[in-house]
Amino acid sequence: MRLIRLVFLVSSLVFVLSAREQVNINFSDLEINDFIKLTSKITNKNILINNNISGTVNFVSSTPVYDDELVGILVAVLESKGYTLVQDGSLYEIVRSTEAAQQNVHVATQGKNVYGSLMVTQAMVIQGENVDIVAAKIRYLISKTAKLMTMKESNTLLITDYPKNIETIKKVIKEIDTHNDFIVKIVYIKHTEAKKLQLRLVDIAKSIFNGNISSEQVKIVLDENINGMIIVGSKENVARIEGLIVKLDVESNVDNAVKIFTLKNSDAKSVLASLTEIISKQTYADPSLKPNVSMSEEINAVIAIGDPSVIKGIKFIIDELDKEKFQVYVQARIIEINKNDAQNIGIKYGFAAGDVSSSGLYAMSANFGSSDLTKSLSTQVLDYLTLGTTKSTLALGATLDFLETNGASKAISNPSILCVNNKESSIYVGKTISVSSGSTTGTTGLPTISYKREDVGLTLKIKPRVSSKDKVTLDVETILENVLDDGSNNNTGQPITSKQEVKTQAILRHGESIIIGGLVKEDVQNSKTKIPLLGDIPLIGEYLFSSTSTSKTEDNLIVILTPYVIDNSEKLSQLQENLGEITRIQREYNKEIFKRIENGETLENNNVEKKETIKSLTNDKMIEKEEDPFAGAM
């Protein structure tokens, strides 16, 4: 049956004589081996079959096909079974597809187009791209039985595949191998320094060209010998960079490269230290762009040398550092209050005086604040200085002045100090004493005593930190040194001193006061009294006609600080005038308040009332009022 079908197919062929013969074929379920024999007979080619290939093939044709196309159909059928057809002279052999490259397939000339249905081998030289990169990109285009190899030495791609696949791969490589269009352009720089211009162009190129795309990449190479640049890239991109060079190649303004900044409010040394620290931490793409800064103490100026764009940034920093700084004018009152004298005032005027408060002041049960007096004396100056606390300010001043007027306190010093923001200032009030530092014996045998001078007194250190125009933080350190014994009461003959130290921090508004207390000085004195003559009798006179008493005095040293924030120097003179007005108003206020106190009146809720009956008490209590209209201790 199979033989009959084969004879029928051959007899049904119609041959047309031409340059290429055409045949009409149409078959179904034809054995592959029979199809090989049919192809051999029609094409007059000798085909060697070394393998038994099972299976059938179907082919439906409505138009004639050329005889050489019939070989292509046979190759496609064999490829589906893992075989292919190779030519060796006039003989065609069926081999496994994976072994075709070793079967002396035809080697096509490099650069020539390949045709036909049989596998060929061809070498392709890659011009402007790495051959391995190209191979990775086109590998998916080759047939599954093709062979692909790269030769890095010559940047060549060697491939064994069917001609149609090879031609497709050539087209793809031509499209992706765009570096073949790159050009090299040398541009000479005429007016500026090529090195600085190259750095700018590189940054610009990164912004306008996509570096991830090979065809967009542009290389800008500096050549200092010719003061020029070598540009490599596509023709369009090189033209864009060249146009930028023409615009940027202008003469530099040399005058802007050196700047002298004369400072008005800051010290050149401190500003230079800040600039040096900032510059040292910066990273410059070109080390030559790093600026140089120095100072001139004679004119209090900072000198900067560098690129104009860098100098612009330095100017901004200097302008910020050289702004007019806040100043704080601090008024200090250093007062010593005697406890015994304060108690006597309490007895005299009927105040619960003599008790130490947490602030260091003695409690006074009299209210030295008067709303009606404050309103009558208040001015815009007072409101500006104390920000609405004029009543308490005047009351505090009146309390202290009342103690001093009656001998219970003594003003040690009333210094004032002008502090610069964040700078420590100090006040010292005291005396200098001599302290023996050693003695030597000379040739005469008499000792020679050497002395050193020591400062003993009150040291006040203030460091303000302004947070706004009406608020300041004060770091305060107070040191009190006293002479307890000048050396006359001890065997050494050396003075004995004491030292008390207080450190604190307070946040105050403009014109508010802080009271620093807790600096206490005690003095114990022994005194002996006797009856003349009788007190000198041995034994009997000492016990019967004489007496010994011990008196103890205690002095409290308080420091009252009042800061005033000054945001510009013009306000300093106005502040002095305002403080003078405050002093005048305080004197008028004290005069009226003292008069009312001496008349037995008190000021509570702005009503003048008479004191109630005061009765003496025992058990060491000072006083007690049946009704206490004097509440509101200062």
Side-chain angles (χ1 to χ4, degrees):
M1 182 64 183
R2 187 175 65 180
L3 179 60
I4 296 173
R5 292 176 61 187
L6 179 62
V7 172
F8 174 76
L9 287 172
V10 173
S11 62
S12 65
L13 295 176
V14 178
F15 297 94
V16 179
L17 295 177
S18 62
R20 298 170 66 194
E21 291 187 7
Q22 288 183 323
V23 295
N24 288 323
I25 56 174
N26 194 353
F27 47 83
S28 175
D29 293 330
L30 181 64
E31 294 290 337
I32 292 178
N33 287 329
D34 293 338
F35 181 58
I36 295 172
K37 295 174 183 179
L38 177 63
T39 302
S40 173
K41 188 171 183 64
I42 293 174
T43 60
N44 293 319
K45 299 182 185 297
N46 299 320
I47 300 175
L48 175 63
I49 305 175
N50 291 327
N51 301 279
N52 184 22
I53 306 173
S54 60
T56 61
V57 61
N58 298 306
F59 186 80
V60 178
S61 175
S62 60
T63 59
V65 297
Y66 290 103
D67 55 353
D68 57 350
E69 291 179 337
L70 191 60
V71 176
I73 296 173
L74 176 59
V75 170
V77 172
L78 293 174
E79 181 72 18
S80 67
K81 299 298 181 179
Y83 295 90
T84 190
L85 195 63
V86 297
Q87 184 178 5
D88 185 8
S90 63
L91 178 66
Y92 290 82
E93 183 180 359
I94 297 176
V95 299
R96 294 187 180 278
S97 298
T98 56
E99 300 174 357
Q102 289 83 31
Q103 297 297 325
N104 296 321
V105 297
H106 175 67
V107 178
T109 304
Q110 179 181 322
K112 298 292 183 178
N113 293 335
V114 290
Y115 305 96
S117 303
L118 305 182
M119 275 189 171
V120 297
T121 299
Q122 190 175 42
M124 289 176 279
V125 178
I126 308 302
Q127 298 295 331
E129 185 64 272
N130 186 292
V131 66
D132 289 331
I133 296 176
V134 173
K137 293 177 180 178
I138 57 92
R139 191 174 295 276
Y140 75 98
L141 295 174
I142 66 176
S143 60
K144 61 182 179 179
T145 57
K147 300 294 181 182
L148 180 66
M149 183 178 70
T150 60
M151 293 177 287
K152 294 183 180 180
E153 297 79 6
S154 58
N155 208 46
T156 301
L157 191 69
L158 189 63
I159 184 171
T160 300
D161 203 349
Y162 296 103
K164 288 184 178 180
N165 284 351
I166 292 177
E167 289 301 314
T168 301
I169 289 170
K170 286 180 181 179
K171 292 180 181 179
V172 173
I173 290 177
K174 185 177 180 180
E175 293 295 328
I176 65 176
D177 190 15
T178 56
H179 279 70
N180 294 329
D181 298 332
F182 277 12
I183 64 171
V184 178
K185 188 73 176 283
I186 299 176
V187 181
Y188 298 93
I189 307 302
K190 300 178 181 179
H191 303 294
T192 188
E193 187 179 347
K195 189 174 184 179
K196 294 181 179 179
L197 185 56
Q198 186 247 0
L199 294 174
R200 297 178 187 174
L201 290 173
V202 169
D203 290 339
I204 294 173
K206 290 179 181 178
S207 301
I208 63 178
F209 302 128
N210 189 344
N212 296 324
I213 302 176
S214 299
S215 60
E216 287 287 307
Q217 292 179 354
V218 176
K219 292 185 178 180
I220 305 172
V221 182
L222 174 68
D223 190 337
E224 294 185 0
N225 294 325
I226 63 172
N227 194 42
M229 280 173 279
I230 303 170
I231 307 173
V232 182
S234 65
K235 185 176 180 180
E236 295 80 7
N237 292 348
V238 170
R240 292 182 68 181
I241 295 297
E242 189 176 7
L244 289 172
I245 292 176
V246 173
K247 295 179 180 180
L248 296 176
D249 185 18
V250 294
E251 294 184 5
S252 301
N253 190 349
V254 180
D255 294 337
N256 290 336
V258 180
K259 278 290 186 179
I260 299 176
F261 301 97
T262 302
L263 305 180
K264 299 178 181 179
N265 304 296
S266 301
D267 180 58
K269 188 174 182 180
S270 61
V271 173
L272 177 64
S274 299
L275 287 174
T276 302
E277 184 178 0
I278 293 172
I279 293 172
S280 65
K281 294 180 179 179
Q282 297 298 312
T283 302
Y284 298 89
D286 182 4
S288 64
L289 293 178
K290 185 176 182 179
N292 295 320
V293 291
S294 60
M295 70 169 181
S296 173
E297 292 188 6
E298 290 78 8
I299 61 174
N300 192 41
V302 174
I303 304 169
I305 304 174
D307 186 86
S309 61
V310 179
I311 297 297
K312 185 177 179 180
I314 291 178
K315 180 181 183 302
F316 175 78
I317 296 174
I318 292 177
D319 290 343
E320 290 297 315
L321 294 176
D322 194 37
K323 284 184 177 179
E324 186 170 2
K325 296 174 176 57
F326 280 101
Q327 299 182 84
V328 179
Y329 183 78
V330 181
Q331 275 191 327
R333 294 184 67 179
I334 304 172
I335 300 171
E336 186 180 80
I337 301 178
N338 185 275
K339 181 177 181 179
N340 295 337
D341 293 338
Q343 290 175 344
N344 292 333
I345 292 177
I347 295 175
K348 179 179 179 181
Y349 290 98
F351 301 148
D355 299 328
V356 179
S357 68
S358 59
S359 65
L361 283 175
Y362 283 95
M364 300 285 288
S365 290
N367 188 344
F368 284 83
S370 172
S371 298
D372 60 334
L373 279 179
T374 302
K375 289 180 180 179
S376 64
L377 296 174
S378 178
T379 64
Q380 292 182 355
V381 176
L382 280 173
D383 293 334
Y384 166 74
L385 289 177
T386 58
L387 298 176
T389 60
T390 54
K391 179 177 178 180
S392 61
T393 302
L394 291 173
L396 175 62
T399 303
L400 297 174
D401 292 340
F402 186 80
L403 290 173
E404 185 174 358
T405 302
N406 289 272
S409 68
K410 179 174 63 176
I412 303 298
S413 179
N414 295 317
S416 299
I417 186 170
L418 185 63
C419 308
V420 178
N421 189 31
N422 286 319
K423 297 288 185 180
E424 184 180 274
S425 301
S426 62
I427 301 173
Y428 172 76
V429 179
K431 60 182 179 180
T432 304
I433 62 174
S434 298
V435 179
S436 173
S437 60
S439 63
T440 58
T441 303
T443 56
T444 60
L446 297 176
T448 301
I449 302 175
S450 58
Y451 293 89
K452 62 180 180 179
R453 306 287 285 175
E454 295 286 349
D455 292 332
V456 178
L458 175 69
T459 302
L460 181 63
K461 296 181 180 179
I462 302 173
K463 183 179 180 180
R465 186 167 62 253
V466 179
S467 57
S468 64
K469 288 185 178 181
D470 62 346
K471 186 173 291 186
V472 60
T473 300
L474 294 183
D475 291 326
V476 183
E477 181 179 356
T478 306
I479 301 174
L480 175 63
E481 295 172 308
N482 285 321
V483 179
L484 301 179
D485 185 357
D486 60 2
S488 59
N489 297 322
N490 61 76
N491 297 329
T492 63
Q494 296 290 323
I496 299 175
T497 62
S498 65
K499 182 177 181 180
Q500 295 171 298
E501 183 174 353
V502 175
K503 290 184 180 180
T504 187
Q505 186 179 76
I507 301 177
L508 302 172
R509 292 188 300 166
H510 173 87
E512 284 186 333
S513 299
I514 178 177
I515 302 174
I516 301 175
L519 303 175
V520 182
K521 180 177 67 174
E522 293 185 352
D523 184 20
V524 179
Q525 293 182 348
N526 297 320
S527 60
K528 184 177 181 180
T529 58
K530 59 182 179 179
I531 299 175
L533 299 178
L534 296 177
D536 295 330
I537 300 174
L539 298 178
I540 298 175
E542 182 177 354
Y543 290 100
L544 298 179
F545 305 105
S546 63
S547 63
T548 302
S549 63
T550 300
S551 62
K552 178 181 179 182
T553 61
E554 182 179 298
D555 293 330
N556 274 259
L557 192 70
I558 64 170
V559 180
I560 303 174
L561 302 177
T562 307
Y564 301 97
V565 181
I566 304 170
D567 56 356
N568 60 72
S569 55
E570 287 77 8
K571 289 185 179 180
L572 182 59
S573 58
Q574 181 63 41
L575 176 64
Q576 297 289 353
E577 295 179 5
N578 293 342
L579 291 177
E581 183 68 13
I582 282 287
T583 303
R584 182 189 64 79
I585 293 174
Q586 183 72 66
R587 285 197 298 265
E588 295 181 11
Y589 186 88
N590 292 352
K591 182 179 179 181
E592 182 63 26
I593 284 291
F594 294 173
K595 179 179 179 182
R596 296 184 183 186
I597 294 294
E598 291 173 356
N599 291 335
E601 300 174 358
T602 186
L603 303 171
E604 180 66 22
N605 297 325
N606 299 326
N607 296 321
V608 180
E609 300 178 3
K610 291 292 182 178
K611 288 191 306 179
E612 299 295 330
T613 305
I614 300 174
K615 59 181 179 179
S616 300
L617 299 177
T618 57
N619 298 326
D620 297 319
K621 290 186 178 180
M622 294 299 300
I623 55 174
E624 179 178 285
K625 303 181 226 15
E626 295 178 356
E627 197 175 318
D628 186 10
F630 307 104
M634 281 283 92

